[in-house]
Amino acid sequence: MSADVLEPWLRGESRADVHPVVLPVLNALQQAREDLGHYTESLSDAEIWTRPHGLASVGFHLVHIAGSVDRLTTYLSGRSLSEAQLATLASENVSSGTLDQLLNAMNTSFDGFEQSARAIDPTTFSDARFVGRKRLPTTVIGLIVHIAEHAQRHVGQAITTCKLVMNDHR
């Protein structure tokens, strides 16, 4: 990303269709899209599955970001995971897919979350939600915020891995 492009949260965009509490989360996911697009653009499809120094591959992080946002969005809506989502979770470590396929899957997952987040009634932010097989308690706003923080955690790891792969292979 060039130095003259402001991060999403600094662009001064107001979106009347997004609650001001949700907007920073959407900005964080936009930042994730842009950062991952930028840092992965010079990697080959083979390099995204490289595990430098035994670290998780960039491909894993992309698959995990897409899958976790999808799963957490399911919990946000008060539902349990489907068999397909559980199967996807179980296969996240499988090296499969091109960079374009993985970025597209991530963007689709982000789009699904954004659509769900826009539809949330702010009066439900403190409503209970439950996560995982153990049904760990949280709230609607807790899930919304966690989706962004969890994605950003993996974006940082993916960027570091991208840099290691480029350093090791170039």
Side-chain angles (χ1 to χ4, degrees):
M1 187 174 336
S2 81
D4 60 339
V5 175
L6 295 174
E7 293 182 357
W9 69 280
L10 291 171
R11 294 179 188 157
E13 297 169 355
S14 78
R15 295 160 74 177
D17 61 330
V18 178
H19 190 279
V21 171
V22 175
L23 184 58
V25 171
L26 300 184
N27 285 339
L29 294 182
Q30 181 60 32
Q31 184 75 47
R33 291 178 203 252
E34 293 174 16
D35 284 346
L36 288 169
H38 171 73
Y39 284 98
T40 61
E41 68 186 354
S42 67
L43 294 180
S44 69
D45 290 335
E47 287 174 324
I48 65 167
W49 295 107
T50 301
R51 297 188 59 195
H53 310 284
L55 297 174
S57 68
V58 172
F60 164 79
H61 289 293
L62 294 175
V63 169
H64 182 69
I65 291 167
S68 65
V69 169
D70 177 63
R71 291 186 295 274
L72 291 169
T73 301
T74 298
Y75 295 134
L76 182 62
S77 69
R79 297 180 324 218
S80 296
L81 298 183
S82 68
E83 291 301 319
Q85 287 171 308
L86 292 171
T88 298
L89 174 61
S91 67
E92 282 185 351
N93 278 319
V94 176
S95 300
S96 165
T98 66
L99 176 58
D100 284 343
Q101 289 169 332
L102 299 182
L103 289 173
N104 286 336
M106 183 191 72
N107 285 321
T108 298
S109 181
F110 285 5
D111 291 345
F113 166 73
E114 185 170 341
Q115 185 176 31
S116 294
R118 288 172 182 271
I120 292 173
D121 177 351
T123 64
T124 67
F125 283 167
S126 62
D127 287 3
R129 291 294 183 268
F130 300 93
V131 176
R133 291 181 181 143
K134 293 183 180 181
R135 295 188 41 82
L136 300 172
T138 189
T139 61
V140 168
I141 195 63
L143 269 166
I144 290 170
V145 170
H146 182 67
I147 286 169
E149 65 189 8
H150 184 83
Q152 283 292 338
R153 181 180 308 142
H154 284 279
V155 168
Q157 293 174 10
I159 289 169
T160 299
T161 305
C162 285
K163 290 178 178 181
L164 288 169
V165 169
M166 287 187 283
N167 185 57
D168 290 351
H169 292 121
R170 302 215 160 88

